[in-house]
Amino acid sequence: MASAVADQTISIGELEDFCIRVLTSLGVGEDDARTTAKALVTTDTWGVYTHGTKLLRGYARRLRGGGLRNNLSPKIADEGAAWALVDGQSTLGQVTSTFATEVAIRKARQAGVGFVTVTNSCHFGAAGYYAWLAAKAGMIGLAMANDVPSVAAPGSRGPVLGSNPIAFSCPTAAGDPILLDMSIATVAGGKVFARCKRGEPIPPGWLVDDAGQPTQDGTLYPDRASLSPVGGHKGYGIGLLIEILAGVLSGAAVTKQVGSWLFGDMSAPTNHGAAFLAIDVSAIMTPSTFYERIAALISEIHAEPTAEGVASLMLPGEMEWRNRRQAESKGIALPADVIDSLQEAASESGQPFVF
Amino acid sequence: MASAVADQTISIGELEDFCIRVLTSLGVGEDDARTTAKALVTTDTWGVYTHGTKLLRGYARRLRGGGLRNNLSPKIADEGAAWALVDGQSTLGQVTSTFATEVAIRKARQAGVGFVTVTNSCHFGAAGYYAWLAAKAGMIGLAMANDVPSVAAPGSRGPVLGSNPIAFSCPTAAGDPILLDMSIATVAGGKVFARCKRGEPIPPGWLVDDAGQPTQDGTLYPDRASLSPVGGHKGYGIGLLIEILAGVLSGAAVTKQVGSWLFGDMSAPTNHGAAFLAIDVSAIMTPSTFYERIAALISEIHAEPTAEGVASLMLPGEMEWRNRRQAESKGIALPADVIDSLQEAASESGQPFVF
């Protein structure tokens, strides 16, 4: 196996096939393995390597431990005209979330809007992937999930809410869908680790220590510091909305009851919650009118005067779609940490990974 | 008329009656006047004086100018099982938004979820009021609107999106509803003005000048500076979602096409857009279970260890409900600027306002 070199790449198809091989070797059905592989590899093509195939190793360990089930499928536990409750049955978060998104799309096709809340899920990777699935179907999509607490609330000494990702995507006629994917923290914990590793200071505003005071000592995170909520009470408040829609309303675990998919007991379900909303554009507005109006908004933003050194304002997702086209034409240039993780997943599963 | 003194108060009923008198004197029907008064006065009781009865003077001028219509009513322009498009017909934003929220609640009662997008609205005051109306009906409510651009995008030299308020409210069984109401700016423009007036410096991170650089010169705002988006690309991205749901999808004015309700041509409709979502808790989960789960989450947050000087973590809205109880028992202690504005509204409308 070659070591990581920046100009080495792997094709989308090869990487998907590898993920499928690992997952099927652990008893995951072919379709579910493909669904998961598509979510992980698409996320890598966006350049969001923290939430792509790097996760495979952990998911594989959890499948081996039994905390993720390979012999069950997500199912609709209850439903109405415009909503459903999906029970993920502790299958892979990507399988459950793709299923739930498809249910939301189907409901929206019938009722104009579809809302799906999910229990017994697991870590679902990039929220943006599911929002984008809705956009591909001509819908405005939202996706969100709760997670193990890592983010402080204003005035707290410790973490109160998870990173609680939220994403939205909006379809366009000609160009790329708008795609925002964010957590409620000022910055991701991974950025704190990266700065520490490089010996760089932590900027003010990123972390709160265990006395509830701002700190720039990155070595305290995560044991004695938590991530600050973006915009203080605003990030905290949005995080709480996500906790309610994804966790409380679904019957899933809430805040400290959510299991850590990476560090928790590998034999126990994490019981993450999630929620998905799809709004069918074509039900509400003639699609051509909607697409003209979105195109006008995008053009207006692109035509805005910019600060020195800024070529053009970007729409959310614009950088990710550029990365994706690069990945499609030249393959994915996986970072070293992702390659290491994939190689471990390969050796632990007895599957070859040649990079 | 007495001048403003801190310990002077006015009762909720008196203030509502005054608003109703002013509005009916301008040809607004009794019901619509009451609806508007309730929205404005409730907002004052929360202590959110920037979005309460202070707005009455401007609305009255716009009614007099004809940009707000006193002889029309909001109507459903189109609808489906779980959604509706409401045409506000340039009536008061509070009338249109209350109507639209009621439609969203009705849809949610039938389909589990109700989404309403609104065109031909005007400034609607506090988004939180409409989210709370949904919570009063046992629903999780969201409310949002677009507005005249005042907030920069990352890398822009000028404002790109409006303050684009978004609110959510969640019912509880025993206590107050959770109630978040926020704009996508780091801080409200009013706070910049207040600091300037007091001769205080503007903290870093609030403003962006017309070269697209951070500035602490508050005198530049709003002509040569714009508000920074909260959390940079995160606030910008959420603002764009709101612009799409409230503006693009409704057919309302978008960004620079939105009229200024306060400074624009008083004879022209502003054509603000808005959007409302109601999720019927009782459709998805047994209400007693939901309320137990929400109570547990609130208790958990209240029991969190706090930083020095912080008595207890607060839920969004907690301070506002304390203010409201104070207003209910002792009356509303209106700030001087609100009293001035109400006195002008009184004299311009020929209605007595005795404070």
Side-chain angles (χ1 to χ4, degrees):
Chain A
M1 283 175 221
S3 65
V5 178
D7 57 5
Q8 265 190 306
T9 61
I10 185 167
S11 76
I12 292 172
E14 282 171 324
L15 189 53
E16 282 183 2
D17 286 347
F18 171 71
C19 294
I20 292 168
R21 279 202 309 277
V22 169
L23 292 168
T24 51
S25 79
L26 294 163
V28 175
E30 177 84 20
D31 284 354
D32 288 351
R34 187 170 303 279
T35 295
T36 305
K38 280 202 173 301
L40 295 176
V41 175
T42 299
T43 306
D44 278 339
T45 65
W46 287 334
V48 184
Y49 298 114
T50 48
H51 289 69
T53 56
K54 188 180 181 180
L55 308 174
L56 181 67
R57 178 186 57 183
Y59 296 161
R61 289 176 182 169
R62 191 159 279 279
L63 279 161
R64 227 172 270 120
L68 277 172
R69 306 284 159 73
N70 60 10
N71 59 342
L72 294 172
S73 297
K75 61 177 186 185
I76 294 176
D78 198 2
E79 63 186 316
W83 66 276
L85 169 66
V86 163
D87 181 346
Q89 300 212 93
S90 304
T91 58
L92 283 151
Q94 282 75 4
V95 171
T96 292
S97 301
T98 301
F99 175 80
T101 300
E102 285 165 357
V103 173
I105 292 170
R106 201 163 66 234
K107 295 285 177 189
R109 201 79 78 194
Q110 290 162 0
V113 181
F115 172 75
V116 175
T117 184
V118 178
T119 187
N120 291 317
S121 189
C122 188
H123 187 261
F124 73 176
Y129 180 75
Y130 312 105
W132 172 61
L133 290 182
K136 281 211 297 180
M139 310 219 171
I140 297 167
L142 275 87
M144 61 196 86
N146 68 356
D147 202 1
V148 180
S150 59
V151 181
S156 78
R157 283 177 185 258
V160 172
L161 296 174
S163 61
N164 288 15
I166 180 165
F168 93 88
S169 189
C170 175
T172 63
D176 301 314
I178 296 170
L179 177 56
L180 174 76
D181 188 339
M182 57 172 266
S183 89
I184 61 152
T186 303
V187 294
K191 290 198 180 172
V192 176
F193 290 132
R195 291 230 172 199
C196 284
K197 205 170 165 182
R198 295 195 302 263
E200 292 170 13
I202 305 297
W206 285 21
L207 289 178
V208 177
D209 69 18
D210 57 4
Q213 302 303 322
T215 179
Q216 293 183 249
D217 180 355
T219 64
L220 297 178
Y221 178 79
D223 292 338
R224 296 189 46 212
S226 41
L227 303 169
S228 72
V230 63
H233 71 284
K234 299 190 179 186
Y236 164 60
I238 292 177
L240 199 60
L241 170 63
I242 296 165
E243 194 73 39
I244 291 168
L245 294 179
V248 177
L249 187 58
S250 67
V254 171
T255 64
K256 289 161 190 166
Q257 276 68 53
V258 179
S260 167
W261 73 276
L262 192 52
F263 301 113
D265 175 359
M266 290 292 155
S267 69
T270 60
N271 199 8
H272 281 73
F276 304 91
L277 182 73
I279 299 172
D280 186 3
V281 166
S282 69
I284 299 175
M285 183 171 259
T286 308
S288 60
T289 305
F290 179 80
Y291 290 123
E292 274 166 31
R293 289 170 64 82
I294 278 287
L297 176 59
I298 291 172
S299 296
E300 179 185 301
I301 290 174
H302 279 160
E304 282 289 336
T306 54
E308 203 178 311
V310 178
S312 165
L313 298 193
M314 297 237 262
L315 274 297
E318 207 168 317
M319 203 186 303
E320 286 74 14
W321 294 118
R322 280 187 209 165
N323 289 339
R324 177 158 177 94
R325 274 186 281 280
Q326 181 93 353
E328 282 171 337
S329 65
K330 300 186 180 171
I332 308 170
L334 295 172
D337 61 323
V338 176
I339 294 171
D340 289 349
S341 175
L342 289 171
Q343 285 175 338
E344 281 186 42
S347 82
E348 289 172 12
S349 309
Q351 297 299 316
F353 178 64
V354 182
F355 187 76
Chain B
M1 284 175 219
S3 65
V5 178
D7 57 5
Q8 268 191 305
T9 61
I10 185 168
S11 76
I12 292 172
E14 283 172 323
L15 190 52
E16 282 183 3
D17 286 347
F18 170 72
C19 293
I20 291 168
R21 279 202 309 276
V22 169
L23 292 169
T24 52
S25 79
L26 293 163
V28 176
E30 177 84 19
D31 284 354
D32 288 351
R34 188 170 304 279
T35 296
T36 305
K38 280 203 173 300
L40 295 176
V41 175
T42 299
T43 307
D44 278 339
T45 65
W46 287 332
V48 184
Y49 297 114
T50 48
H51 288 70
T53 57
K54 188 180 181 180
L55 308 174
L56 181 68
R57 178 185 59 183
Y59 295 163
R61 289 177 182 169
R62 191 160 280 279
L63 279 161
R64 225 171 272 121
L68 276 172
R69 306 284 160 71
N70 58 11
N71 59 344
L72 293 172
S73 297
K75 60 176 187 184
I76 294 176
D78 197 3
E79 63 186 316
W83 67 275
L85 169 66
V86 162
D87 181 346
Q89 299 210 95
S90 303
T91 58
L92 284 151
Q94 281 75 3
V95 171
T96 293
S97 301
T98 301
F99 175 80
T101 300
E102 285 165 357
V103 174
I105 291 169
R106 203 163 66 234
K107 295 286 179 188
R109 202 78 78 194
Q110 292 161 0
V113 182
F115 172 74
V116 175
T117 183
V118 178
T119 186
N120 291 317
S121 190
C122 188
H123 187 262
F124 73 177
Y129 180 75
Y130 313 105
W132 173 61
L133 290 182
K136 280 212 295 179
M139 310 220 171
I140 297 167
L142 275 87
M144 61 196 88
N146 67 356
D147 202 359
V148 180
S150 60
V151 182
S156 78
R157 284 177 184 257
V160 173
L161 295 174
S163 61
N164 288 15
I166 179 165
F168 94 88
S169 189
C170 175
T172 64
D176 301 313
I178 296 171
L179 177 56
L180 175 77
D181 188 337
M182 57 171 266
S183 88
I184 62 151
T186 303
V187 294
K191 291 199 179 171
V192 176
F193 290 133
R195 291 228 172 201
C196 283
K197 206 170 165 183
R198 295 196 302 263
E200 292 170 12
I202 304 296
W206 286 21
L207 290 177
V208 177
D209 70 17
D210 58 3
Q213 302 303 323
T215 180
Q216 293 182 248
D217 181 355
T219 65
L220 297 177
Y221 178 79
D223 292 338
R224 296 187 49 211
S226 41
L227 302 170
S228 73
V230 62
H233 71 283
K234 298 189 180 187
Y236 163 60
I238 291 176
L240 199 60
L241 169 63
I242 296 166
E243 195 71 40
I244 291 168
L245 295 179
V248 177
L249 187 58
S250 67
V254 171
T255 64
K256 289 162 190 165
Q257 276 68 53
V258 180
S260 168
W261 73 276
L262 192 54
F263 301 112
D265 177 359
M266 289 293 155
S267 70
T270 60
N271 200 7
H272 281 73
F276 304 91
L277 182 73
I279 299 173
D280 185 4
V281 165
S282 68
I284 299 174
M285 185 172 256
T286 308
S288 59
T289 305
F290 179 80
Y291 290 124
E292 275 166 31
R293 289 170 65 83
I294 279 288
L297 176 59
I298 291 172
S299 296
E300 178 184 302
I301 289 174
H302 278 160
E304 282 289 334
T306 54
E308 203 179 311
V310 178
S312 164
L313 297 193
M314 296 237 263
L315 273 297
E318 207 168 315
M319 203 186 303
E320 287 73 15
W321 293 118
R322 280 187 210 166
N323 290 337
R324 178 159 178 93
R325 273 186 283 278
Q326 180 94 354
E328 282 171 338
S329 64
K330 300 188 179 168
I332 308 171
L334 294 173
D337 62 324
V338 177
I339 294 171
D340 289 349
S341 176
L342 288 170
Q343 284 175 339
E344 281 187 42
S347 82
E348 289 173 11
S349 309
Q351 297 299 317
F353 178 63
V354 181
F355 187 76

